[in-house]
Amino acid sequence: MIPRTSLPRAAQRVLRSQTSRRPSDCRTLATAKSPGFNYETGEVNGIKFASRDLPGPTTQLAVVARAGTRFQVYPGFAEGLEKFAFKSTYRRSSLRITREVELLGGELFAYHSRENLVVGAKFFRDDLPYFVELLGEVISKTKYLRHELHEEVIPIIKLGQKAILGNTNEMAQNSAHGIAFHRGLGTALHPTSSTPITKYLHEEDLKSFSQAAYAKSNFAVVANGASQDELSKWIREFFSDSPATPPKDLPPIETKPSHYYGGEERIAHDGGNSMILGFPGSGAYTGGHYKPEIAVLSSLLGGQSYIKWSPGFSLLARATRAQTQAHVSTRNISYSDAGLLTISMEGDARHIREASEAVVEILKAISGGDIAKDDIKKAIANAKFRTLEAGQNTGTGLELTGAGLVQSGKPSQIDGIADAIDGVTEEAVKKAAKSLLDGKATVSAVGDLFILPFAEEIGLHV
């Protein structure tokens, strides 16, 4: 250590001031309960909205509608609405929208999940009025022109269909959801190559569906980086043209509760190998089907490492070290009233077969209590961090919060989720693992079916 006498006097004064500084003078790190992490909610003219007034010069704004593939009335409608976002409206051409957003330095985006359609923008904070107006216009005044549908929208959808044909993991995910939930959540996220979308996708029908999807009762507006008062003011002014309820002559958006079935499907493919083992998982926190022990079990099983130069602490990462040509990962996919815990394996067919056998053995070990307490503690910490990180992420937070407002009237607040995960016990994790083994599994295999195992060969019930 350098003696103080060898330091210049000015440096000594700085050092003394730093060491004598009181703890109250130092900034503390934000926690899950920090006010800036949670959303303020409100309702104006029948439209639910939420905002987090995060510090910074930029804002992210989105309309989250309950119009994902689960709720589409015909195949391809969720995809069609997504592709028509920011096309010509009755006030602006698509070229004008592009030029105006470019001049403001903004960014537009649109995507759909199995439950939600998200249309949004990123921009400078001072430009909030323009982008609120633009999103209000997009959801209520898009033209849905015939030539745009046939010359731009459908060709892009067909290109996506071809991409799915070469993606064994995407095929396995669609297969697993179809086995687990049949209709609704079981609908493929994107139309497959065998889906006759031209039979169903017509501009007038798509326009009618948009009136139901963008009815005030079916969407919410969410912002990161905007004050509650400002957002409320501009929503009141620019979202007045949206219908209060879906038109009566339209088929209602399906809202039947999800039901888990389970089963097995095998698809031959010579372009790669993927296998998914699925089980009933945890629903979203804003619904009544949230199970924090599933999040902990997902982290405990793991497979992927989050630490460089380390295989990770998870049980599957350790058990599959010898299967170097198979990538294994565990994930709980949550929805409003259901969830699907998936263990995905990609790579060499023989290594996938060996890894799938290890999955079942590990589940048996957990349910039997043959697991170190230290591993449980690590899994709880990892699950809590992953959940808080996702909630804090502005993009993920937008969809989670909007979906919660539409479906249950409350946003996804990350401090409540963190408390629930902290309360998970070792016994709860054991019971969760045992329930997976005792119930029906969902097994989807895509690839070399001569090598990839059947469910019964690895000890699962379907």
Side-chain angles (χ1 to χ4, degrees):
M1 182 176 177
I2 301 174
R4 290 176 180 263
T5 54
S6 65
L7 295 173
R9 291 183 178 178
Q12 291 185 40
R13 286 196 297 269
V14 172
L15 183 60
R16 283 196 299 270
S17 66
Q18 290 178 341
T19 56
S20 63
R21 184 180 296 174
R22 293 173 298 175
S24 59
D25 296 331
C26 301
R27 292 183 61 189
T28 58
L29 295 176
T31 67
K33 297 184 182 297
S34 299
F37 282 178
N38 289 328
Y39 284 89
E40 294 182 75
T41 63
E43 186 171 336
V44 54
N45 295 337
I47 299 172
K48 298 180 179 69
F49 68 95
S51 67
R52 284 195 299 196
D53 195 2
L54 302 175
T58 63
T59 298
Q60 190 169 359
L61 176 72
V63 170
V64 181
R66 188 176 55 176
T69 52
R70 173 183 180 177
F71 302 110
Q72 62 186 6
V73 293
Y74 295 115
F77 271 41
E79 189 94 5
L81 278 191
E82 175 201 322
K83 297 295 186 285
F84 258 109
F86 306 109
K87 288 294 184 183
S88 298
T89 70
Y90 286 100
R91 291 180 179 173
R92 294 176 173 89
S93 66
S94 58
L95 178 62
R96 178 181 169 184
I97 292 173
T98 300
R99 293 291 179 262
E100 289 177 347
V101 174
E102 287 177 341
L103 287 171
L104 294 174
E107 178 183 329
L108 304 177
F109 61 88
Y111 67 89
H112 72 276
S113 60
R114 281 187 161 80
E115 289 194 304
N116 307 304
L117 172 65
V118 183
V119 180
K122 302 176 185 178
F123 47 88
F124 290 116
R125 190 183 185 101
D126 292 341
D127 296 326
L128 179 65
Y130 170 81
F131 284 94
V132 174
E133 180 183 12
L134 177 62
L135 291 189
E137 187 177 315
V138 165
I139 68 172
S140 63
K141 298 188 181 301
T142 295
K143 286 185 175 180
Y144 300 99
L145 298 173
R146 180 180 179 82
H147 75 273
E148 288 186 339
L149 175 64
H150 291 280
E151 295 176 12
E152 298 181 35
V153 173
I154 289 181
I156 293 176
I157 293 177
K158 289 185 175 180
L159 285 175
Q161 290 177 317
K162 292 180 179 179
I164 292 174
L165 282 175
N167 190 332
T168 57
N169 186 59
E170 180 78 12
M171 293 176 68
Q173 286 285 354
N174 284 332
S175 169
H177 277 80
I179 297 166
F181 300 112
H182 293 183
R183 298 185 183 275
L185 290 176
T187 305
L189 185 58
H190 301 282
T192 60
S193 58
S194 56
T195 303
I197 56 172
T198 54
K199 174 183 176 181
Y200 298 102
L201 206 54
H202 303 287
E203 63 277 6
E204 290 301 324
D205 293 336
L206 195 58
K207 181 178 180 179
S208 298
F209 178 63
S210 74
Q211 294 173 345
Y214 296 135
K216 291 180 179 179
S217 58
N218 203 61
F219 74 86
V221 182
V222 188
N224 283 306
S227 71
Q228 184 83 339
D229 292 340
E230 282 291 302
L231 184 60
S232 172
K233 171 185 175 183
W234 299 119
I235 289 175
R236 180 180 288 105
E237 180 170 347
F238 295 124
F239 275 74
S240 57
D241 292 330
S242 297
T245 56
K248 294 182 179 180
D249 58 335
L250 297 179
I253 290 181
E254 188 63 62
T255 56
K256 288 184 179 179
S258 296
H259 178 74
Y260 176 85
Y261 296 92
E264 182 174 19
E265 184 175 24
R266 296 167 64 80
I267 304 170
H269 199 291
D270 66 353
N273 300 282
S274 294
M275 188 171 186
I276 290 180
L277 308 182
F279 306 92
S282 168
Y285 179 72
T286 52
H289 302 267
Y290 181 65
K291 304 173 185 176
E293 63 272 16
I294 293 295
V296 176
L297 180 59
S298 175
S299 290
L300 184 61
L301 291 170
Q304 68 276 38
S305 175
Y306 298 107
I307 302 175
K308 191 174 182 180
W309 308 120
S310 168
F313 74 90
S314 68
L315 303 184
L316 281 176
R318 282 184 257 166
T320 59
R321 284 181 182 178
Q323 287 73 47
T324 56
Q325 297 179 44
H327 177 265
V328 183
S329 62
T330 306
R331 177 189 175 199
N332 177 67
I333 308 172
S334 61
Y335 301 104
S336 59
D337 61 352
L340 187 64
L341 178 66
T342 62
I343 302 167
S344 304
M345 293 160 281
E346 296 179 75
D348 178 78
R350 295 189 185 279
H351 283 206
I352 289 176
R353 184 186 185 98
E354 295 168 1
S356 65
E357 294 170 352
V359 170
V360 178
E361 291 303 315
I362 288 174
L363 283 173
K364 289 179 180 178
I366 297 172
S367 63
D370 187 15
I371 185 70
K373 291 185 178 181
D374 194 45
D375 287 334
I376 296 287
K377 291 180 180 178
K378 291 177 182 178
I380 291 174
N382 181 264
K384 181 179 177 180
F385 174 78
R386 295 295 153 198
T387 302
L388 293 177
E389 182 189 38
Q392 184 182 350
N393 180 282
T394 55
T396 308
L398 286 175
E399 182 179 356
L400 290 174
T401 299
L405 285 174
V406 174
Q407 294 156 1
S408 63
K410 62 180 182 179
S412 181
Q413 305 289 33
I414 60 178
D415 54 354
I417 304 175
D419 291 341
I421 292 176
D422 274 336
V424 173
T425 63
E426 182 179 346
E427 189 62 30
V429 176
K430 293 178 186 177
K431 288 182 179 179
K434 189 176 187 305
S435 68
L436 300 188
L437 290 171
D438 292 343
K440 290 184 67 176
T442 292
V443 180
S444 174
V446 180
D448 187 350
L449 301 185
F450 180 74
I451 299 176
L452 294 176
F454 283 88
E456 63 179 12
E457 294 176 345
I458 59 176
L460 291 177
H461 308 292
V462 292

